[in-house]
């Protein structure tokens, strides 16, 4: 309590505001996107994603050119140009990032948020596997064990899903795999190449937007002549809200990490997953089977175990399930 009381009031306030903002934007983004696809004849996931990226690009550009913090960051990476192989990896990251978001938005078209979030909960397991395969990073056995409830829960949710859709499920699984690869590659660039997260976001956003713009012209060109879209302001209100949430989510993630620590985001993600599922059930009134409910509970427990692995290890050592020598903390990637 004494340590908390020594923190300046403005820091505590900004921490509280950033965490609150993170929850609001995180939960709202998924539900608003689902509302766009479900309430309107809107079949343009690539176009919607391109608007998200355009909004983020505009935000990053504004920060870099009109704030002292942004000017400092921009000056730093202007003075330290990146090499060709790093640029290639950033382009690869942008491609993976683009496809993963598009797949996620296609999945939202066909699946309810409650089921979609359970599939996305497999991301940590996929991340661990790709970290091991691509960079041979050591992974603790207890971490794998903690993800067993997540796997079991996802299987239960899949078999118990009342509104199952094969296309939506396939896109969700593909999005999960790509998000895992993106997480591993992004972590490598941030740690090994020492690129700060804001600069990486800025460098990645422009090529991602260009890819999506080309994809929109090729696959969704009818969006530019869609009479309903052009004559229905309510759709654009939702799109504007969605873009604002996408930008806000990036801002709040940056601020939460700045005012707390990177570990805070996964912890908040656990709570956000529960709140997103509950809010989705309240808004869309989708039916859940008993098997799905049990699967959701299993995923939540497994996700909590994954992010509390070290505390779980200490507890097992304390009750002498694990020898004290095996209770040492080992580093492993958690994205």
């Amino acid at each position: 309590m004494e340590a908390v009381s020594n923190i300046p009031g403005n820091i505590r306030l900004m921490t509280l505001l950033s965490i609150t903002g993170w929850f609001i934007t995180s939960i709202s983004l998924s539900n608003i996107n689902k509302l766009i696809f479900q309430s309107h004849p809107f079949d343009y996931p690539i176009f919607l994603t391109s608007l998200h990226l355009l909004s983020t690009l505009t935000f990053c550009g504004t920060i870099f050119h009109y704030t002292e913090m942004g000017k400092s960051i921009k000056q730093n990476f202007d003075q330290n140009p990146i090499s060709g192989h790093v640029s290639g990896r950033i382009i690869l990251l942008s491609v993976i990032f683009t496809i993963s978001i598009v797949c996620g938005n296609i999945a939202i078209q066909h699946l309810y948020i409650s089921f979609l979030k359970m599939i996305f909960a497999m991301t940590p397991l996929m991340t661990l596997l790709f970290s091991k395969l691509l960079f041979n990073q050591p992974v603790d056995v207890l971490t794998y064990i903690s993800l067993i409830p997540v796997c079991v829960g996802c299987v239960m949710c899949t078999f118990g899903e009342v509104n199952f859709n094969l296309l939506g499920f396939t896109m969700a699984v593909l999005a999960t795999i790509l998000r895992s690869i993106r997480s591993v590659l992004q972590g490598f660039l941030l740690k090994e190449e020492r690129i700060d997260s804001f600069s990486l976001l800025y460098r990645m956003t422009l090529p991602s937007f260009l890819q999506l713009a080309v994809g929109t012209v090729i696959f969704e060109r009818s969006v530019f002549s869609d009479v309903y879209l052009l004559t229905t302001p309510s759709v654009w209100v939702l799109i504007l809200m969605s873009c604002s949430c996408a930008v806000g989510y990036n801002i709040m993630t940056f601020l939460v990490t700045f005012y707390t620590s990177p570990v805070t985001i996964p912890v908040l993600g656990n709570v956000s997953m529960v709140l997103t599922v509950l809010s989705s059930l309240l808004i869309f009134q989708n039916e859940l089977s008993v098997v799905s409910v049990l699967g959701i509970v299993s995923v939540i427990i497994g996700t909590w175990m994954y992010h509390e692995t070290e505390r779980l290890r200490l507890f097992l050592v304390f009750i002498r399930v694990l020898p004290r020598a095996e209770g040492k903390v080992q580093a492993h990637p958690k994205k």
Side-chain angles (χ1 to χ4, degrees), residues 97-297:
F97 175 72
T98 299
I99 299 175
S100 68
I101 296 180
V102 171
C103 289
N105 281 339
I106 293 174
I108 288 177
Q109 283 185 282
H110 303 282
L111 300 177
Y112 282 101
I113 302 297
S114 54
F115 181 39
L116 186 62
K117 285 293 181 180
M118 296 305 102
I119 300 174
F120 285 167
M122 291 289 290
T123 301
L125 176 60
M126 296 290 185
T127 302
L128 290 176
L129 293 176
F130 283 116
S131 296
K132 183 67 176 177
L133 290 173
L134 298 178
F135 298 106
N136 198 30
Q137 294 183 359
V139 180
D140 187 80
V141 174
L142 193 57
T143 303
Y144 280 123
I145 295 174
S146 70
L147 289 171
I148 292 176
V150 177
C151 299
V152 173
C154 287
V155 172
M156 292 174 68
C157 288
T158 301
F159 282 98
E161 177 61 24
V162 177
N163 304 289
F164 183 84
N165 179 278
L166 183 58
L167 175 61
F169 177 76
T170 303
M171 289 296 104
V173 171
L174 182 58
T176 302
I177 294 173
L178 291 173
R179 285 171 62 169
S180 302
I181 298 174
R182 183 190 76 190
S183 182
V184 173
L185 182 57
Q186 184 172 297
F188 177 82
L189 290 171
L190 291 172
K191 293 178 182 178
E192 302 299 327
E193 302 296 344
R194 300 187 181 279
I195 303 175
D196 68 90
S197 57
F198 205 79
S199 298
L200 181 59
L201 176 65
Y202 182 71
R203 293 175 184 273
M204 187 177 64
T205 302
L206 179 57
S208 294
F209 169 69
L210 293 176
Q211 294 159 25
L212 288 164
V214 172
T216 300
V217 172
I218 296 175
F219 299 107
E220 298 179 354
R221 67 181 66 181
S222 59
V223 68
F224 302 108
S225 57
D226 191 313
V227 177
Y228 179 86
L229 188 61
L230 295 174
T231 58
T232 311
S234 60
V235 181
W236 288 101
V237 171
L238 288 173
I239 290 175
L240 180 61
M241 292 172 62
S242 177
C243 291
S244 300
C245 286
V247 175
Y249 178 77
N250 288 325
I251 298 172
M252 294 306 156
T253 299
F254 180 79
L255 290 177
V256 169
T257 304
F258 178 79
Y259 284 109
T260 57
S261 71
V263 179
T264 305
I265 293 297
V267 175
L268 294 180
N270 293 345
V271 182
S272 174
M273 181 174 67
V274 177
L275 295 178
T276 302
V277 170
L278 291 176
S279 62
S280 171
L281 293 174
L282 290 173
I283 294 171
F284 301 107
Q285 300 291 311
N286 53 296
E287 184 182 353
L288 284 181
S289 67
V290 176
V291 176
S292 290
V293 173
L294 293 175
I296 290 174
V297 173

Side-chain angles (χ1 to χ4, degrees), residues 297-313:
V297 173
S298 180
V299 168
I300 292 172
I301 292 173
T303 305
W304 175 83
M305 288 174 61
Y306 170 73
H307 293 298
E308 298 294 333
T309 302
E310 301 308 331
R311 292 185 183 181
L312 182 60
R313 186 195 319 281

